[in-house]
Amino acid sequence: MARLILSVDGVVLKEYTIAKERTTIGRKAVNDVQIEDSFLSSEHASITQIGNDCILEDLDSTNGTVVNGKPVKRHLLKSNEVIEFGDYKLNFVDEVDYTQDNFLFSRMVRTKSVKP
């Protein structure tokens, strides 16, 4: 299961579990991840979960969204990537449960894409 770890200046403030299909990030209290800072737009970004993938999308925010130091509009998140909003950082941690079915599926996909 994927998690977000919110920190500022290296101090962890809160941890969130991505348990919904769509998780919102922003300044307003209606967001799943609320960061009360004027740098963030009211509804700044969202993370959409599709299967085991989590896709970060900037919601036309004023100051933009940054992942690993690079501005992004849309980004497929990988474990241990850092989403930045001004001084705040969200560390994305993905602990995918690799069941036997998932393992076999990923092996089949990789095997088909490799040329002999």
Side-chain angles (χ1 to χ4, degrees), residues 15-26:
E15 188 172 313
Y16 303 89
T17 300
I18 299 177
K20 296 170 35 177
E21 184 177 317
R22 184 171 187 263
T23 300
T24 58
I25 303 163

Side-chain angles (χ1 to χ4, degrees), residues 5-115:
I5 301 168
L6 177 65
S7 65
V8 64
D9 296 327
V11 177
V12 174
L13 303 176
K14 196 165 183 179
E15 188 172 313
Y16 303 89
T17 300
I18 299 177
K20 296 170 35 177
E21 184 177 317
R22 184 171 187 263
T23 300
T24 58
I25 303 163
R27 196 174 65 241
K28 282 188 176 179
V30 297
N31 291 288
D32 301 302
V33 177
Q34 181 189 16
I35 302 172
E36 294 183 47
D37 188 290
S38 60
F39 182 88
L40 276 85
S41 296
S42 299
E43 295 174 355
H44 196 98
S46 68
I47 297 174
T48 303
Q49 192 170 9
I50 302 171
N52 288 331
D53 293 333
C54 289
I55 300 165
L56 172 70
E57 184 173 3
D58 182 84
L59 301 176
D60 296 323
S61 65
T62 303
N63 294 313
T65 301
V66 173
V67 176
N68 300 327
K70 297 179 183 173
V72 298
K73 181 65 180 158
R74 220 165 179 229
H75 181 80
L76 175 62
L77 291 167
K78 296 179 188 99
S79 194
N80 296 317
E81 289 192 306
V82 179
I83 308 163
E84 300 173 52
F85 306 102
D87 294 332
Y88 289 87
K89 295 182 187 223
L90 279 172
N91 188 0
F92 176 77
V93 180
D94 191 8
E95 299 166 352
V96 177
D97 177 22
Y98 288 103
T99 62
Q100 188 65 25
D101 291 339
N102 286 342
F103 177 75
L104 289 173
F105 176 74
S106 67
R107 295 270 305 168
M108 289 184 331
V109 170
R110 259 187 285 157
T111 303
K112 288 182 179 182
S113 65
V114 175
K115 292 185 179 184

